[in-house]
């Protein structure tokens, strides 16, 4: 499994990304993060991946090849767990979240791909 995690900081706020990630994964609210239009984002993912088989409300499987992913949301974050998902499909997911000003945090590395990243 490969995790992709997204959130948006409030204006003038920047926190420790790893700590934010850990709180979000534990389903804790994080002061300093914006609430996201999660249903709108999930619908957008659904539209972009409309050719994929929808296993359930938040799980998608590539019917013509490898890859599947599951979307987990809180009011402040979107986490996408990818299972054998190709790089170009993960990039597409990142681009969707970028539309909502939510850069990728990659907990495997751990790096957040935004203007403050070293």
């Amino acid at each position: 499994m490969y995790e992709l995690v997204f959130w948006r900081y409030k204006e003038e706020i920047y926190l420790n990304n790893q700590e934010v990630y850990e709180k979000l994964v534990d389903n804790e609210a994080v002061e300093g993060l914006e609430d996201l239009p999660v249903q709108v984002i999930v619908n957008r993912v659904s539209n972009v991946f409309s050719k994929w088989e929808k296993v359930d409300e938040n799980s998608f499987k590539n019917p013509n090849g490898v890859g599947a992913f599951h979307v987990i949301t809180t009011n402040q974050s979107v986490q996408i767990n990818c299972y054998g998902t190709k790089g170009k499909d993960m990039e597409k997911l990142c681009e969707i979240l970028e539309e909502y000003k939510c850069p990728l945090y990659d907990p495997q590395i751990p790096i957040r791909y935004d203007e403050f990243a070293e």
Side-chain angles (χ1 to χ4, degrees):
M1 177 186 72
Y2 203 92
E3 273 181 292
L4 309 173
V5 186
F6 307 88
W7 65 82
R8 182 171 60 217
Y9 286 116
K10 289 183 176 173
E11 202 69 34
E12 304 295 319
I13 291 180
Y14 200 79
L15 306 169
N16 178 302
N17 293 316
Q18 183 62 30
E19 289 173 11
V20 170
Y21 163 73
E22 288 169 10
K23 285 181 179 173
L24 291 172
V25 169
D26 287 341
N27 223 359
E28 291 178 38
V30 180
E31 207 171 304
L33 298 190
E34 297 275 0
D35 279 354
L36 300 177
V38 288
Q39 198 51 57
V40 173
I41 293 170
V42 170
N43 291 345
R44 178 89 175 104
V45 169
S46 245
N47 290 338
V48 171
F49 287 87
S50 61
K51 290 184 170 54
W52 286 43
E53 180 186 331
K54 209 164 175 192
V55 180
D56 62 34
E57 200 54 41
N58 295 314
S59 300
F60 301 80
K61 187 172 120 187
N62 186 348
N64 305 314
V66 297
F69 63 88
H70 179 71
V71 181
I72 301 165
T73 60
T74 70
N75 290 342
Q76 298 179 315
S77 68
V78 175
Q79 175 182 338
I80 303 174
N81 294 338
C82 298
Y83 304 90
T85 312
K86 288 186 177 158
K88 68 177 175 53
D89 293 321
M90 287 198 274
E91 283 173 29
K92 206 183 294 180
L93 290 164
C94 293
E95 288 166 9
I96 293 167
L97 273 295
E98 198 59 53
E99 294 170 18
Y100 299 93
K101 310 254 182 294
C102 297
L104 167 66
Y105 177 69
D106 184 335
Q108 286 83 196
I109 305 181
I111 290 178
R112 181 170 156 96
Y113 292 91
D114 59 15
E115 65 269 24
F116 302 109
E118 259 69 310

